[in-house]
């Protein structure tokens, strides 16, 4: 258990790997699905631009999200991406003993520390596949945050294991930003109302290619939603983002997302099979998300060499619980993966690992 803010750069994200790289660098560092947003979604967003003179009205989008999860609208809050939700949680909830389960997305801890909270960490371990032991979370934690499937490990925790973390007086925050990339969403907690203190975060930016638009939402008890809403500025979600939210939760869109998730699972299996051919590389084989976590000696040198060969990979050492031996690789189409595997072979040879 750790409470100190150490050398991990909690504000480093995958976009930094490609921000100033110029054209031609294939992005394996960011987990946004390629080929998105689809044409029909771009058209829906473009059509909303005629209404920019009016202030945003989120009622229709909020109702659509609520219907998608079978919830009343009082349990839904639309946000400018999941990142805004983490800031709202840190500012609005009176948590005195927050715990973050790592390795995971670092924004929740960064937001809590910025709000003056002392954060404790529970670290999961590679030797048991980064699996969650609910007993490792301190009993006195009044706020617990973890991802499912977890970024960067890609591990999908059983819903009932996560539910065991709930108890009176505790807020349990489950980041499901990548859950719609899991076929069938078998371990989702979104829509559950029987888990006390549950807060589920969802993002529409990854599957639908809307990272530049910023749209996500919170599902929680009405009292929690109201507290978070009071911490939001006026009109926090733009009219185009509201149009996207409404469009992405229709039955047709959900069916498209499911098809994309099934394709991604096949492509991930191909990537894992290719990585298994390298003796120097170890993978988190339980991966269920649109990315895989790999370990190798001199990973930083390999990452640098991969850049010269045209590929950007996400460094792992900015995630608490990981070190410089780790890289995160986004799942791409088979042709891209094959080119990456060839480049990885060259990089391993060149760096002498």
């Amino acid at each position: 258990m750790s409470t100190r803010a150490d050398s991990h750069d909690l504000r480093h994200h995958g976009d930094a790997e490609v921000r100033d790289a110029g054209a031609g660098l294939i992005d394996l560092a960011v987990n946004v699905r390629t080929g998105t947003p689809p044409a029909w979604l771009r058209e829906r967003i473009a059509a909303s631009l005629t209404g920019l003179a009016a202030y945003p009205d989120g009622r229709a989008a909020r109702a659509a999200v609520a219907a998608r999860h079978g919830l009343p609208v009082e349990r839904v809050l639309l946000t400018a991406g999941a990142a805004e939700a983490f800031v709202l949680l840190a500012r609005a909830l009176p948590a005195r003993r927050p715990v973050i389960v790592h390795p995971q997305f670092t924004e929740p801890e960064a937001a809590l520390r910025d709000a003056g909270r002392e954060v404790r960490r529970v670290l999961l371990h590679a030797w048991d596949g980064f699996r969650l032991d609910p007993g490792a979370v301190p009993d006195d934690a009044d706020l617990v945050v973890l991802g499912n499937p977890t970024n960067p490990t890609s591990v999908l925790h059983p819903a009932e294991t996560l539910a065991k973390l709930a108890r009176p007086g505790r807020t349990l925050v489950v980041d499901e930003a990548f859950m719609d990339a899991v076929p069938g969403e078998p371990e989702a907690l979104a829509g559950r109302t029987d888990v006390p203190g549950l807060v589920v975060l969802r993002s529409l930016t990854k599957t639908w290619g809307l990272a530049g638009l910023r749209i996500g939402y919170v599902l929680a008890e009405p009292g929690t939603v109201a507290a978070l809403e009071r911490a939001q500025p006026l009109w926090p979600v733009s009219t185009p983002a509201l149009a996207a939210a409404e469009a992405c939760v229709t039955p047709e869109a959900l069916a498209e997302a499911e098809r994309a998730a099934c394709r991604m699972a096949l492509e991930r299996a191909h990537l894992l099979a290719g990585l298994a051919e390298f003796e120097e590389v170890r993978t988190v084989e339980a991966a269920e998300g649109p990315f895989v976590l790999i370990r190798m000696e001199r990973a930083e040198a390999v990452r640098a060499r991969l850049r010269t060969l045209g590929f950007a990979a996400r460094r792992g050492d900015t995630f608490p619980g990981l070190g410089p031996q780790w890289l995160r690789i986004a799942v791409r189409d088979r042709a891209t993966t094959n080119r990456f595997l060839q480049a990885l072979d060259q990089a391993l040879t060149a760096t002498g690992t």
Side-chain angles (χ1 to χ4, degrees), residues 63-73 75-76 190-193 219:
V65 170
R68 181 257 191 270
H69 292 287
L71 295 171
V73 293
R75 283 182 167 266
V76 176
R192 293 274 295 268
T193 59
L219 307 174

Side-chain angles (χ1 to χ4, degrees), residues 143-187:
L143 174 67
V144 178
V145 185
L146 71 166
N148 202 38
T150 304
N151 172 20
T153 66
S154 204
V155 170
L156 182 66
H157 303 289
E160 293 312 311
T161 298
L162 300 186
K164 290 178 182 177
L165 292 173
R167 60 196 59 193
R170 171 183 289 177
T171 300
L172 172 61
V173 179
V174 181
D175 176 9
E176 292 188 350
F178 294 101
M179 188 63 79
D180 61 354
V182 179
E185 302 188 8
E187 306 301 338

Side-chain angles (χ1 to χ4, degrees), residues 28 34 73 75 94 104 150 177 203 234 240 248 313 316 337:
L28 304 182
T34 57
V73 293
R75 283 182 167 266
Q104 76 150 326
T150 304
S203 170
L234 290 174
C248 290
T337 293

Side-chain angles (χ1 to χ4, degrees), residues 37-62:
W40 64 264
L41 182 53
R42 293 198 303 270
E43 292 169 2
R44 286 286 297 271
I45 294 169
S48 74
L49 300 181
T50 59
L52 291 185
Y55 286 97
D57 182 350
R59 288 177 296 177
R62 187 178 184 183

Side-chain angles (χ1 to χ4, degrees), residues 224-251:
T224 300
V225 167
L228 299 179
E229 191 169 17
R230 286 193 295 271
Q232 277 186 313
L234 290 174
W235 311 292
V237 181
S238 69
T239 295
L242 292 171
E246 192 172 355
C248 290
V249 296
T250 64

Side-chain angles (χ1 to χ4, degrees), residues 42-124:
R42 293 198 303 270
E43 292 169 2
R44 286 286 297 271
I45 294 169
S48 74
L49 300 181
T50 59
L52 291 185
Y55 286 97
D57 182 350
R59 288 177 296 177
R62 187 178 184 183
V65 170
R68 181 257 191 270
H69 292 287
L71 295 171
V73 293
E74 292 81 10
R75 283 182 167 266
V76 176
L77 181 68
L78 303 176
T79 60
E84 187 204 9
F86 291 124
V87 173
L88 297 176
L89 288 164
R91 293 177 177 176
L93 299 187
R96 297 185 177 182
R97 297 175 297 278
V99 168
I100 308 291
V101 180
H102 282 293
Q104 76 150 326
F105 186 51
T106 52
E107 276 301 312
E109 178 169 333
L112 285 163
R113 291 191 182 278
D114 287 347
R117 311 299 174 87
E118 183 175 291
V119 178
R120 291 179 290 176
R121 296 172 177 172
V122 169
L123 300 182
L124 307 185

Side-chain angles (χ1 to χ4, degrees), residues 119-145:
V119 178
R120 291 179 290 176
R121 296 172 177 172
V122 169
L123 300 182
L124 307 185
H125 303 287
W127 57 263
D128 66 350
F130 296 104
R131 295 295 181 182
L132 173 67
D133 174 11
V137 176
D139 288 339
D140 67 345
D142 57 0
L143 174 67
V144 178
V145 185

Side-chain angles (χ1 to χ4, degrees), residues 1 3 6 23 61 70 73 90 124 178 199 230 232 249 318 327 348:
M1 179 72 64
T3 59
D6 55 23
V73 293
L124 307 185
F178 294 101
V199 177
R230 286 193 295 271
Q232 277 186 313
V249 296
T318 64
L327 297 176
L348 288 167

